[in-house]
Amino acid sequence: MLTYTPTPTRSSPSSRERPWLLLLLAVAWLLPGIFSHDLWHPAEPAVFTAVGEFSAGGNMWLPTVLQQPSFEVSPVYIWVAALFQKLLAPWESNIYAATRFASVLFTVIGLTCCGNAGFRLLGKHQGRSVALILIGCTGLLTMAHFLTGYSVVFAALGMCLYGFSLAPTRVIMASLLLGGGWALLSVSVGFLVPSALMLTALVLPISPLWRFKRYYLTLIGAFVFAWPLMSVYPFALLKSNPAAFSLWWNYFAFGPFGGMDNFQTAFSLPYYLKNILWFAFPAWPLAVWTFTRSKLTQHCWGVLALVWLVFVGILLAINPHQYQEHLVWLLPPLALLGAAQLDGLRRGAAAFINWFGMMAFGFLAVFLWIGFFAMNYGWPEKLAERSHYFSPYYIPEINKMSLVVALLFTPIWLWAITRKHIRGRQAVTNWAAGVTLVWALMMTLFLPWLDAAKSHAPVVKEMEAALSPELKTALTNKQACISVDRNARTARIAWAQYGTIDLATGNGECRYRLVQQPKGSAVPQGWDLIWEGARPRNKVEGFALLAKHEAENHAQAQ
């Protein structure tokens, strides 16, 4: 008698997922770059000044830089940064590092919300994949570590994504997150981006997958919560400063698109398509893989990501300003799509991503170590010459703690990439570890070198060193003064942060004048050049100290 004995089913291997490793990787990715450097051009000096003016008693609804309204940074970011200054400086860190923790906090909120959304929409373990893909995107690095209001935008987008994911199960929390995300976006980047996500929410029920009672209740709750909250900032600004409200309403209400009086659009699609290749890698190629493997309209997450990308992508395409940071509007749905079919990624594709990451980040790590020896010990000689060319203010120094951190990161990365049987999730983890390694080496081995190139501190110190002892004494005793134009914002901020001499704003009686102009510019008639300088390789922005001719100065005094 013929019988059939079925092949015994093999039990699936136990998961080796270790959530605490993701936490360690996130911490290792977040902390380098926060400490031990000055304010870096272009965004940090202005943002730090706005935080300082708010802490000194400024209008909480109106960020100002040198007493002039500045709507480029969210007031929410200013509040949180000022709070971190009070909590951490100077006991736990210097005031610059303490302020940067606002960016860290908002980035953590964005990563957590996007990760939880991935867990809710895609299933177990996929939330970690979403977070790892985001950590691997180099576009997040600057907004996560430096003083920039776009970390608030990332946090708000993460809240929106998480709110959508909670709609089938937790209506109240979904409404609060979705409505709160819209409101936070409105005060951070104007009304147009949250309007696009509101339109996304209204269009989703076109798909049967989003036609359920709990989603309709979530929509109602989100709009009921968001609209009053979105009106708080304009109303408070109107009551506290009507002139500033008029300026905001006419020129900044729609963020980069302007306001009611100067709404602008332009065709920026080629710019954003070009820059998304590096800004959102590896999110976009993994999203393309998901698109080829799945019919997005058959999954609720697919419909959500597709509609989000369409509406927000249209905004980017007609954006009148070409800023790379605006690409963060697309990161949450791209990371969600990238994680959706990550476990189904072909072994060859996963091996290629892993191999490419090993080669790219390994080469960069070796280059950074060689560069470290070149700029500090003069070998290799050619590389040492180039390092001096790009950062001539750098004085060789070796921080033992930074060197220890760099020495620890390198072997840990080598250990992490030696795992066998690489699949999609492991390849993405290795990629995120490679980004973390290179970033950590740059922010330890190269930090003083970068600081000397990107900070205005060496320029300010060079100018003060060029002053004669007699002039320094006269400036100290208030017997002489140096004036600066009120509109020379960069110079005013830099000398306020790093200088020991108080500049007189717009004082025509001063014999000496600090001007902001390209290095090598012609000296105005009636003035002598005492000093000029600029940050390395900067041909647009420079500074010069001028002295009025003695005869003209005497005649003016008469």
Side-chain angles (χ1 to χ4, degrees), residues 513-533:
R513 187 164 186 81
L514 179 68
V515 295
Q516 187 173 315
Q517 62 185 21
K519 191 174 180 180
S521 299
V523 179
Q525 187 175 2
W527 294 83
D528 295 320
L529 178 66
I530 297 179
W531 166 89
E532 67 174 349

Side-chain angles (χ1 to χ4, degrees), residues 90-421:
W91 304 281
E92 297 296 332
S93 62
N94 65 38
I95 194 167
Y96 297 155
T99 313
R100 292 187 188 101
F101 269 97
S103 297
V104 174
L105 174 64
F106 286 114
T107 303
V108 168
I109 293 173
L111 288 174
T112 303
C113 288
C114 289
N116 283 324
F119 171 75
R120 294 279 179 174
L121 292 170
L122 303 176
K124 189 177 181 182
H125 304 314
Q126 300 307 325
R128 302 171 205 168
S129 299
V130 172
L132 286 168
I133 291 172
L134 289 170
I135 289 175
C137 292
T138 54
L140 268 185
L141 284 172
T142 55
M143 67 185 68
H145 297 89
F146 303 142
L147 293 178
T148 167
Y150 250 79
S151 57
V152 184
V153 177
F154 177 60
L157 294 170
M159 291 169 59
C160 292
L161 188 66
Y162 193 19
F164 280 120
S165 71
L166 287 176
T169 55
R170 301 176 64 184
V171 172
I172 295 178
M173 184 59 69
S175 301
L176 294 177
L177 284 167
L178 196 54
W182 292 340
L184 189 56
L185 280 173
S186 69
V187 77
S188 303
V189 73
F191 285 128
L192 216 53
V193 175
S195 297
L197 292 182
M198 289 179 178
L199 188 58
T200 297
L202 292 173
V203 167
L204 286 181
I206 293 178
S207 169
L209 298 172
W210 286 93
R211 293 181 203 155
F212 51 89
K213 181 180 178 181
R214 287 178 179 269
Y215 181 68
Y216 294 133
L217 293 174
T218 298
L219 271 185
I220 295 172
F223 278 102
V224 168
F225 182 62
W227 279 342
L229 203 59
M230 293 172 69
S231 66
V232 169
Y233 174 70
F235 182 76
L237 186 60
L238 175 62
K239 288 297 181 182
S240 62
N241 193 324
F245 170 80
S246 178
L247 179 66
W248 171 81
W249 179 252
N250 291 326
Y251 296 96
F252 297 98
F254 300 119
F257 296 88
M260 296 300 294
D261 279 2
N262 73 326
F263 186 83
Q264 302 174 358
T265 59
F267 185 66
S268 299
L269 183 61
Y271 172 84
Y272 287 110
L273 286 178
K274 176 182 68 176
N275 282 279
I276 202 172
L277 296 178
W278 67 266
F279 189 96
F281 193 93
W284 70 263
L286 293 174
V288 171
W289 166 257
T290 298
F291 182 78
T292 60
R293 294 280 293 179
S294 302
K295 291 185 177 180
L296 299 185
T297 55
Q298 295 180 356
H299 305 277
C300 61
W301 50 264
V303 175
L304 170 61
L306 187 61
V307 176
W308 183 320
L309 290 173
V310 168
F311 285 128
V312 177
I314 291 173
L315 284 187
L316 282 176
I318 62 173
N319 195 330
H321 296 287
Q322 296 181 350
Y323 296 144
Q324 297 167 354
E325 290 83 358
H326 293 165
L327 286 167
V328 76
W329 303 349
L330 300 179
L331 274 188
L334 284 176
L336 184 69
L337 286 179
Q341 290 294 328
L342 192 58
D343 289 337
L345 191 66
R346 292 176 181 172
R347 189 179 296 274
F352 173 77
I353 293 176
N354 189 59
W355 173 84
F356 181 72
M358 290 172 56
M359 297 300 295
F361 297 122
F363 173 79
L364 286 173
V366 171
F367 175 78
L368 290 173
W369 274 108
I370 295 175
F372 169 76
F373 283 99
M375 66 188 183
N376 287 288
Y377 299 105
W379 180 89
E381 186 176 349
K382 288 292 185 183
L383 192 56
E385 292 176 359
R386 298 305 294 174
S387 68
H388 179 74
Y389 173 79
F390 285 107
S391 186
Y393 293 118
Y394 172 69
I395 299 174
E397 62 174 293
I398 298 177
N399 185 294
K400 293 181 180 179
M401 182 57 67
S402 297
L403 187 59
V404 169
V405 172
L407 287 170
L408 286 175
F409 267 92
T410 304
I412 290 175
W413 175 75
L414 290 172
W415 168 79
I417 64 173
T418 54
R419 294 177 296 175
K420 298 179 180 180
H421 309 297

Side-chain angles (χ1 to χ4, degrees), residues 40-41 387 390-394 446-456 458-459 534-538:
W40 283 2
H41 192 78
S387 68
F390 285 107
S391 186
Y393 293 118
Y394 172 69
F446 270 63
L447 186 60
W449 183 87
L450 289 169
D451 198 27
K454 297 184 70 65
S455 169
H456 285 102
V459 182
R535 288 186 306 111
R537 315 278 72 79
N538 194 320

